[in-house]
Amino acid sequence: MTSGPAKFDRRLIAPMLVGSALNPINSSMLAVALIPIGAAFGVPPSQTAWLVTGLYLATAVGQPVMGRLVDIFGPRPLYLIATSLVGVAGLLGALAPNLGVLVASRVLLGFGTSAAYPAAMSLIRTEADRTGMETPAAILSSLSIANQVIAVIGPTLGGLLIGLGGWHLIFTINVPLSLICVVLGWLWLPRRGRSRTSGGLDYAGIALFTATLVSLMLFLMRPSVSRWWLLVLALLLGAAFVIAQLRVVAPFIDLRVLGGNRPLIMTYTRQVLAFVGAYSFLYGFTQWLEQARGLNASKAGLLLLPLSLAAVVVTAITGRRAAVRGKLVAGGAFLLLAAAGQLFVDARTPIWILAVVGVIAGVPQGLNNLANQTALYQQADPARIGSSAGLLRTCVYVGALISAAANAHFFQHGATTAGLHEMAVFLLVIAGLLALVTLLQLPE
């Protein structure tokens, strides 16, 4: 009697989902914790912005590095080591005596949360090869939805945790999450595994990429004429990075995917602009709600729930359609509306109007990322789809870093209404650029 076709090992789903949720939950919970942390250490938002920057600098470097290591050594060891680091980082953050140590814990969190997603992609690919079947769309969909749902409920969860036991709990929660990941990974991730690639890491590329981002962020977090040399240094390092990546066989970030592909370049540009807008609103509006509007962290988190729900609902409704053009146009338009709405609120604005502004801001978060992902798969060279998708995630982190610098600049004297309005003007410019890029290259 012949046996039926091999089936996807569904024991892998739990460690993949929990592990890949570590990054979005740590990114979004912090939004409501920045003001309490600043009050605890006696520092302004311009300094607590480094908590955002530290995570995304580490993630921007860590994701490609971890992905390469997963290709070389297999998903199991990288998953177990990295998720263990998350627990260590959580303890370090909960016990941090000063802001510097807290930033260090966020950097460690960035590296620790960078392995689960590439490990999940590797496991899905391996299972597809083993079963001889097409990769289950339901598994990929579950992974994407889980990440988005966790990201959008993060501020509300963070607010509830802070209400229960203070900002330390948003770090402490990483300890049980880390333990769950390690146990699930140890029990169910396959011990088998072979290298999918030859060669090692592009150490020069990693060093140049890191140095470029760090020098650029040091300038953007406190821009001034006297610090012009940091900007020049970042430009020189960036040029050296590009030249180096085009010359090596196995680059840290494969820039060859661009190769004259103008539509793909425009997609990456849209992704950066979209996430500058998304993260600027998430962190900036939240800090203003707490400091200028006078809401505590729990109430601010609850007020962001309509924004989160709007993003999820829009994604669920439009995700079944492969068309990109309408999503991009609508996403840009709603980002303009959200920026305009932010321009006219103040400390006396009723709560229900603030909730409406949040809903408007949630719509482009649901549309833009979905549209750009779909556009990428239509535009990228099929032979380089992995590298193309990885570069799209790098664009997300670049957008987050720019937004962190914007928050540090506009809120250098506190999360005031004047600072929020300056942020709104900045977002209007970003939304205008996004609309321009969209109209210059509209995918089908």
Side-chain angles (χ1 to χ4, degrees), residues 7-8 37 69 75 110 121 128 141 145 170 193 232 241 247 265 284 315 341 345 363 369 382 387 390 396 404 416:
K7 295 182 179 180
F8 189 96
I37 290 172
L69 291 174
M121 292 297 100
S141 177
I145 291 173
I170 72 165
V232 173
F241 170 74
R247 289 182 176 178
I265 294 172
T315 301
V345 301
V363 173
N369 185 48
S387 297
V396 172
T416 63

Side-chain angles (χ1 to χ4, degrees), residues 170-234:
I170 72 165
F171 289 88
T172 307
I173 196 175
N174 284 291
V175 177
L177 289 175
S178 170
L179 184 60
I180 291 171
C181 287
V182 171
V183 171
L184 292 176
W186 184 268
L187 290 176
W188 291 333
L189 293 188
R191 296 179 183 274
R192 65 184 184 276
R194 57 183 177 81
S195 172
R196 289 183 172 272
T197 185
S198 58
L201 293 174
D202 174 18
Y203 295 104
I206 294 171
L208 286 170
F209 183 74
T210 305
T212 300
L213 284 182
V214 170
S215 55
L216 181 60
M217 289 309 298
L218 286 172
F219 175 79
L220 292 177
M221 295 293 280
R222 194 158 55 89
S224 66
V225 176
S226 63
R227 292 159 61 86
W228 63 268
W229 60 272
L230 282 169
L231 183 58
V232 173
L233 178 62

Side-chain angles (χ1 to χ4, degrees), residues 147-179:
N147 275 265
Q148 184 167 12
V149 169
I150 288 294
V152 297
I153 68 171
T156 304
L157 175 61
L160 293 174
L161 289 173
I162 293 170
L164 287 173
W167 62 264
H168 299 83
L169 281 186
I170 72 165
F171 289 88
T172 307
I173 196 175
N174 284 291
V175 177
L177 289 175
S178 170
L179 184 60

